[in-house]
Amino acid sequence: MKKTIVLGASNNPERYSYKAIEMLLNHDHPVIAVGMKKEAVLGIEIAQELPSEKVDTVTLYVGPKNQIDWIDPIIALQPNRVIFNPGTENPEFQEKLNHAGIAWEEACTLVLLSTNQY
């Protein structure tokens, strides 16, 4: 099981971050939801800060302009990988991940899960 932070979590079932949380849970991956609003999604409280615990993956659902304040905390967390979902691609962030030795990929979490490539 790959503990995953969903950054940009929302309790709106129409949002891809919601669908990702739902699919991660259905595949038995522990989820930490992080977002702007203090609410819950599928029984998980949405935190406004990154946890200090070790995680396998950070999957991004925030665009490049909204990633700025998250870059250094994500690098400090040292996840095994960061997934840039469609619309979140950020060459500057990806270069910083390269320098920190953190793997990243431009992919869709929903596709990775549905094709057993997660």
Side-chain angles (χ1 to χ4, degrees), residues 7-101:
L7 183 60
S10 169
N11 70 352
N12 179 345
E14 300 299 313
R15 303 291 302 230
Y16 286 110
S17 62
Y18 180 100
K19 295 173 189 217
I21 291 169
E22 185 174 45
M23 192 175 273
L24 285 161
L25 292 172
N26 288 340
H27 283 82
D28 297 321
H29 295 290
V31 172
I32 299 168
V34 178
M36 298 303 296
K37 296 180 181 175
K38 194 170 180 119
E39 54 195 13
V41 55
L42 299 168
I44 299 170
E45 290 294 321
I46 297 176
Q48 283 70 58
E49 296 179 0
L50 295 178
S52 57
E53 63 195 271
K54 180 69 176 155
V55 298
D56 180 79
T57 302
V58 175
T59 185
L60 300 175
Y61 288 93
V62 294
K65 290 179 184 175
N66 294 319
Q67 293 170 9
I68 295 168
D69 292 336
W70 296 104
I71 293 172
D72 290 337
I74 288 171
I75 290 171
L77 194 59
Q78 288 288 298
N80 292 331
R81 68 177 168 168
V82 175
I83 298 174
F84 290 84
N85 287 280
T88 67
E89 300 87 349
N90 184 339
E92 293 171 13
F93 188 3
Q94 293 163 345
E95 186 62 29
K96 288 183 178 188
L97 291 168
N98 286 339
H99 285 280

Side-chain angles (χ1 to χ4, degrees), residues 97-108:
L97 291 168
N98 286 339
H99 285 280
I102 298 170
W104 60 269
E105 59 186 304
E106 292 179 356
C108 175

